[in-house]
Amino acid sequence: MTIVYFDANQRAEQLTQIDINIKIQRDALKAIQADNEKLDDATTVKRNYNYFIVERNEDNTIKSFAIDDKKVAKARRLSGFHALMTLGVDMTAMEASKAYSMRDEQEKYYRQMKSTQGCNRQGNWSEEGKTGRLLILFVSMIISSYVKHIWKSTDLKDKFSSSLDVLDEMRSIRCIEHKGKAKFITPFVGKQIDIAQAFGFEIPEGSGTKYKSRKVKVKKVGRPKKQKEVELDK
């Protein structure tokens, strides 16, 4: 079953965008013709100036160009309409629209689960296990989206090629805990300090660029020497 929908607001936006694209393409073609520049290959020209018919000279410069009335008329006629095809479902037009309107967002979520979160397949043996795993995936998706947002909106984008590289940089940090002793977090060094600053959290005390060496030494008689502070690479 094919259902056709019409959105008046969407039609107004698309008609405006068509006029803007026509003006941009016309101005670009006029500039190329005035400068006597050579055109790109036919496929590129057709893609970049899809509302115009461009004729070439033998030296690959613009001979003439004119607006493609049929293509513009078709684009205007279809503005505001979108179709939805269903098979084997018994739904009204509004029910089908509500069920499929989030399809693009859902596909993006699935792609993020399979790539960023590494959950291509889920080995679930029960409904309870499946529910629990989906909850973990949901929470991890929120955290992953936040990490990606910080990476995009700060200078971390210039230092790391992706948000996954940000996480990989922090994997070496460990929280060490021994029975009867205080927890110890390994030092933050290099780009790890930049990541901490970008996310706005303070480096735990004792895990900064200065820390006391924990190397075990042979005990000597007398007052022990004060341990020296080691300066790590910033």
Side-chain angles (χ1 to χ4, degrees):
M1 178 175 60
T2 303
I3 307 172
V4 180
Y5 300 90
F6 174 76
D7 189 332
N9 294 328
Q10 184 179 1
R11 177 175 175 81
E13 293 176 1
Q14 291 178 355
L15 290 175
T16 303
Q17 190 61 46
I18 290 173
D19 293 336
I20 293 173
N21 292 340
I22 291 174
K23 184 179 185 307
I24 292 174
Q25 293 178 20
R26 180 185 288 111
D27 293 343
L29 289 171
K30 285 182 178 179
I32 294 174
Q33 189 177 35
D35 296 337
N36 203 29
E37 297 181 2
K38 292 186 177 181
L39 292 169
D40 296 323
D41 58 276
T43 303
T44 303
V45 171
K46 187 176 182 180
R47 181 177 64 250
N48 294 338
Y49 311 105
N50 58 314
Y51 289 127
F52 286 85
I53 300 174
V54 182
E55 294 185 5
R56 303 168 181 258
N57 293 314
E58 293 182 358
D59 58 351
N60 206 27
T61 57
I62 296 179
K63 181 179 180 180
S64 64
F65 64 90
I67 192 167
D68 192 339
D69 294 326
K70 291 184 178 180
K71 186 171 290 186
V72 173
K74 181 179 179 181
R76 294 184 185 280
R77 186 171 64 254
L78 297 179
S79 296
F81 292 92
H82 63 276
L84 178 63
M85 298 180 65
T86 60
L87 178 63
V89 293
D90 185 15
M91 295 181 179
T92 63
M94 295 308 297
E95 290 174 346
S97 177
K98 184 177 180 180
Y100 289 94
S101 59
M102 296 294 291
R103 184 176 58 182
D104 291 340
E105 286 80 1
Q106 291 168 356
E107 291 296 333
K108 291 178 181 178
Y109 295 153
Y110 289 136
R111 183 170 65 248
Q112 184 175 350
M113 287 181 182
K114 293 177 181 179
S115 58
T116 307
Q117 299 172 234
C119 294
N120 193 12
R121 294 183 179 180
Q122 300 182 25
N124 300 313
W125 298 95
S126 64
E127 288 295 328
E128 291 79 4
K130 179 181 179 182
T131 302
R133 189 176 290 267
L134 289 176
L135 175 61
I136 294 173
L137 281 174
F138 176 73
V139 176
S140 63
M141 185 180 296
I142 296 175
I143 299 174
S144 175
S145 299
Y146 178 69
V147 172
K148 190 172 184 179
H149 168 71
I150 296 297
W151 167 68
K152 279 187 173 182
S153 58
T154 62
D155 58 354
L156 292 180
K157 193 171 184 179
D158 300 329
K159 300 177 181 179
F160 300 94
S161 59
S162 66
S163 58
L164 287 177
D165 291 341
V166 176
L167 298 176
D168 290 338
E169 182 68 24
M170 303 297 285
R171 290 185 191 280
S172 60
I173 298 176
R174 296 288 185 271
C175 179
I176 303 172
E177 183 178 6
H178 296 283
K179 189 176 181 179
K181 296 183 179 180
K183 295 181 181 179
F184 171 70
I185 300 177
T186 55
F188 287 61
V189 296
K191 294 181 180 179
Q192 294 173 348
I193 300 175
D194 300 331
I195 295 173
Q197 293 175 350
F199 280 87
F201 63 82
E202 297 181 358
I203 297 176
E205 185 178 355
S207 300
T209 56
K210 293 183 178 180
Y211 78 102
K212 293 183 178 180
S213 175
R214 293 174 178 266
K215 184 178 180 181
V216 178
K217 297 182 179 180
V218 179
K219 291 185 178 180
K220 296 182 179 180
V221 180
R223 185 187 298 273
K225 293 182 179 180
K226 185 178 180 180
Q227 293 181 345
K228 297 181 179 180
E229 290 185 343
V230 181
E231 185 75 19
L232 301 176
D233 294 335
K234 294 185 179 179

